[in-house]
Amino acid sequence: MSDDTRAADGDGEEEPVLFDAPPMGEQERMVEAMLFASAEPVSARDLAERMPKGSDPAEALQHLRRRYEGRGVRLVRVGDAWAFRTAPDLGFLMQTETVETRKLSRAAIETLAIIAYHQPVTRAEIEEIRGVSVSRGTVDQLLELEWIRFGRRRMSPGRPVTFVVTETFLDHFGLESARDLPGLAELRAAGLLDSRPLPGAGEAEAEEEDDASDPGQGEMFEE
């Protein structure tokens, strides 16, 4: 190459290049360094702006991509940019599991117990049994835990939605069906209820015999 090495600009004219482009191996190293140092994917255009004149980051990327095949990290394309990512089959090594203990409030425990023993039950019925209003946060917490879900709407004015407990609830407490729900005394012994009477408890206990004689009432899940 002559001393007046030139490169074409956007108008088709050539501008002088003072130095030859680095060998492709060196260009790969440059691209590799920039991708590792960047917290975000980097486009070939951004790479070219940082590399010496005459470099070909697009080609360097392809060489680098082949070199990382089968490795613990891979060079992947993200839209118009490139980034290093953990090999999919090794993703499990990056996972961490945390056990978070969340204690239900008395309101949530009472609401859950009422739903479990009176299901399907509407919000108005829960409030009537408890004697106080049910906050949206209490219901949302139980829905988030997937211990309750929405049941059928009642065929009454306003078509209020009902609540029932879920399979997740049954699984958590080791129950096969709602018929296996423990008595209130057992719940208190397990520490799930305190010693104070649960609002509507007498009514719930009185209905246990009725549930046994009415197969439809004790059914846990509705169509």
Side-chain angles (χ1 to χ4, degrees):
M1 184 176 294
S2 65
D3 293 338
D4 289 333
T5 303
R6 297 177 180 274
D9 59 21
D11 298 327
E13 298 180 359
E14 294 184 346
E15 58 181 8
V17 176
L18 300 179
F19 304 100
D20 291 338
M24 185 52 63
E26 187 64 18
Q27 292 185 42
E28 284 184 53
R29 293 183 64 240
M30 292 178 181
V31 170
E32 183 180 35
M34 287 187 282
L35 292 178
F36 264 117
S38 176
E40 302 292 337
V42 185
S43 67
R45 180 174 181 176
D46 290 337
L47 293 170
E49 290 177 356
R50 294 175 176 270
M51 296 174 69
K53 292 289 186 181
S55 297
D56 189 347
E59 183 179 351
L61 284 165
Q62 295 305 321
H63 285 290
L64 200 59
R65 189 178 196 177
R66 287 192 292 270
R67 188 149 63 88
Y68 273 89
E69 287 181 358
R71 304 286 296 275
V73 293
R74 299 172 58 189
L75 180 60
V76 299
R77 187 164 188 165
V78 183
D80 293 329
W82 295 80
F84 282 110
R85 294 288 184 262
T86 303
D89 60 318
L90 299 180
F92 72 95
L93 296 171
M94 313 301 144
Q95 296 176 354
T96 57
E97 295 185 2
T98 325
V99 177
E100 180 183 359
T101 302
R102 301 175 61 184
K103 186 176 181 180
L104 291 179
S105 65
R106 175 176 170 79
I109 293 174
E110 290 179 356
T111 300
L112 178 63
I114 291 170
I115 294 172
Y117 285 96
H118 294 264
Q119 64 180 342
V121 61
T122 65
R123 181 190 292 268
E125 291 168 340
I126 295 171
E127 292 176 345
E128 183 180 355
I129 294 171
R130 289 192 65 220
V132 295
S133 62
V134 178
S135 71
R136 177 165 184 165
T138 297
V139 174
D140 287 345
Q141 183 182 16
L142 296 174
L143 288 170
E144 182 183 347
L145 288 170
E146 297 184 352
W147 282 4
I148 66 171
R149 67 172 178 84
F150 296 112
R152 274 189 260 176
R153 289 184 177 274
R154 283 278 171 82
M155 299 300 293
S156 58
R159 301 286 311 278
V161 70
T162 61
F163 297 97
V164 296
V165 290
T166 64
E167 290 182 339
T168 303
F169 170 87
L170 293 177
D171 184 57
H172 183 85
F173 290 101
L175 305 172
E176 289 187 9
S177 73
R179 298 180 187 279
D180 298 322
L181 282 166
L184 298 180
E186 296 174 82
L187 291 175
R188 292 192 183 97
L192 297 173
L193 292 178
D194 59 27
S195 57
R196 289 179 290 175
L198 179 67
E203 182 181 344
E205 291 171 344
E207 289 182 353
E208 287 182 355
E209 293 183 2
D210 295 338
D211 290 350
S213 60
D214 182 0
Q217 181 66 24
E219 285 301 322
M220 175 77 198
F221 304 106
E222 301 182 14
E223 295 298 326

